[in-house]
Amino acid sequence: MSQTHQLISTLKQLLKARGLTYAQVAAHLKLSEASVKRQFSQQSFSLQTLEAMCDLLQLELAELVVQAQQAQPRLSQLSAAQEAELVSDPRRVLMAICVLNHWTLEQIVATYQISKAQGIAHLLRLDHLGMIRLMPENRVSLRIARDFAWLAGGPIHQFFRERAQSDFLDSDFRHPGELLRFQHAMLSPAANLRFQQRLQRLLQEFTDLHEDGITTPANTRHGTSLLLALRPWEPEVFSALRRTPDSRGFSLAGC
C-alpha cells in the first residue's frame, strides 16, 4: 500500500469513526459532495484540503501522518526465500541487523567497510523485502512488528549457526555484561511448555529494553546478544552408555 493510499484510508476511517458524512465534509470545505467523493476516489487532495479536513477532525496534519504510519501492516516474518536473499551477502545481513538496531546509514558506513553507495543499495533491497521504508535523505522507517522473528531453522538461523554460534560461545563469560549458565532438570511436557512461555515473556522484556534505550546516546549502548535454548536432550556421550535406547521420544510441540 502506497503512503498516499494509506493516508487517505486512515482519513476515511477517522471520518467514519466520528460519524462525519461526505455531505458534512463538503459543507466544511465549501465544495459539492460529488467533488469530495471524486477527490477521495482519485486520491487527489491538495495539502490545503488535507489540512482543512484535519481541522474538521480537530487533528493536526502531523498526527494524521503518524496514525497512518501506525495503521500500516507490520512484517512479522520473512519467507525462507527472502531470508536466503539476505544471507546471500554478509554485508546485507549486517545492514539488516544494524537497521533493526536503529543505526543510521552514516553510522554504518563510518563503522564498517561498506561504502555509502553499497549501503544505499542494501537499504533498497531491505525496502523491497518489506523490512523498511527508505525515506528521503536515506532515512529509514522500520516496517516490522514488535514480535518479528527469524524463521526457526531458516536461512538466518543457519547463517548464524555456521558463522557465529561457535564464535559467540568462545568465551569464559567472566567479563562485565556476560553471563552463562547451564542447568539441567527433569521436566514433564507441561512443565517444559510452562517454562517456554516464561522465556517468551523474558524475550519480550529484552526487546522492550532495546526499544526503551533508543533515545540514549549510541556510545552508551553496546550490541548485546542473547541465546536461549531448551530441548529434551541427553549428551551423546551419555546416551551411548545406555543399555537400551531411550524410546520415550522427546518430541514436544514448541521445542
Side-chain angles (χ1 to χ4, degrees), residues 20 34 44 63 73 97 103 108 110-111 126 136 180 183-184 214 217 224:
L20 294 170
S44 59
E63 293 177 293
I97 298 301
W103 283 40
I108 297 170
T111 305
L126 296 180
L180 176 66
Q183 297 288 127
H184 181 73
I214 291 173
T224 305

Side-chain angles (χ1 to χ4, degrees), residues 210-250:
H210 163 72
E211 294 293 337
D212 292 344
I214 291 173
T215 57
T216 60
N219 61 1
T220 65
R221 293 178 283 123
H222 307 280
T224 305
S225 297
L226 173 67
L227 174 65
L228 293 177
L230 174 72
R231 69 182 178 109
W233 171 77
E234 182 179 56
E236 186 176 354
V237 65
F238 296 162
S239 60
L241 297 175
R242 284 183 177 268
R243 296 185 184 278
T244 57
D246 193 326
S247 60
R248 285 176 296 175
F250 289 109

Side-chain angles (χ1 to χ4, degrees), residues 32-186:
S32 68
E33 185 175 349
S35 175
V36 170
K37 288 182 177 179
R38 182 171 59 254
Q39 290 186 59
F40 268 106
S41 175
Q42 298 176 353
Q43 299 184 1
S44 59
F45 294 111
S46 67
L47 182 58
Q48 184 178 5
T49 300
L50 280 175
E51 289 178 334
M53 282 194 284
C54 285
D55 180 61
L56 177 62
L57 289 165
Q58 297 182 331
L59 189 74
E60 295 290 335
L61 181 57
E63 293 177 293
L64 173 63
V65 173
V66 169
Q67 291 198 34
Q69 290 176 338
Q70 293 174 341
Q72 287 185 325
R74 298 281 175 166
L75 187 68
S76 294
Q77 204 163 54
L78 295 175
S79 67
Q82 289 173 320
E83 285 197 5
E85 181 179 341
L86 277 182
V87 301
S88 66
D89 186 337
R91 283 184 171 83
R92 189 171 299 156
V93 179
L94 174 60
M95 287 291 298
I97 298 301
C98 287
V99 165
L100 292 180
N101 282 285
H102 303 277
W103 283 40
T104 65
L105 177 61
E106 290 73 20
Q107 289 174 314
I108 297 170
V109 169
T111 305
Y112 297 103
Q113 296 179 28
I114 298 176
S115 69
K116 184 175 181 179
Q118 289 173 328
I120 292 172
H122 289 310
L123 290 178
L124 286 170
R125 294 308 302 164
L126 296 180
D127 184 293
H128 177 73
L129 291 173
M131 297 182 69
I132 67 168
R133 184 180 296 282
L134 187 56
M135 311 290 284
E137 300 180 358
N138 299 318
R139 291 179 294 107
V140 168
S141 175
L142 293 180
R143 298 177 62 188
I144 62 170
R146 288 178 66 85
D147 62 348
F148 177 84
W150 303 112
L151 287 171
I156 290 290
H157 279 189
Q158 184 176 348
F159 175 90
F160 281 97
R161 185 165 57 246
E162 293 174 353
R163 305 191 185 208
Q165 183 171 294
S166 60
D167 179 52
F168 177 76
L169 294 173
D170 186 20
S171 170
D172 56 15
F173 288 88
R174 295 180 179 177
H175 297 92
E178 295 184 340
L179 176 68
L180 176 66
R181 296 288 185 271
F182 181 80
Q183 297 288 127
H184 181 73
M186 300 292 287

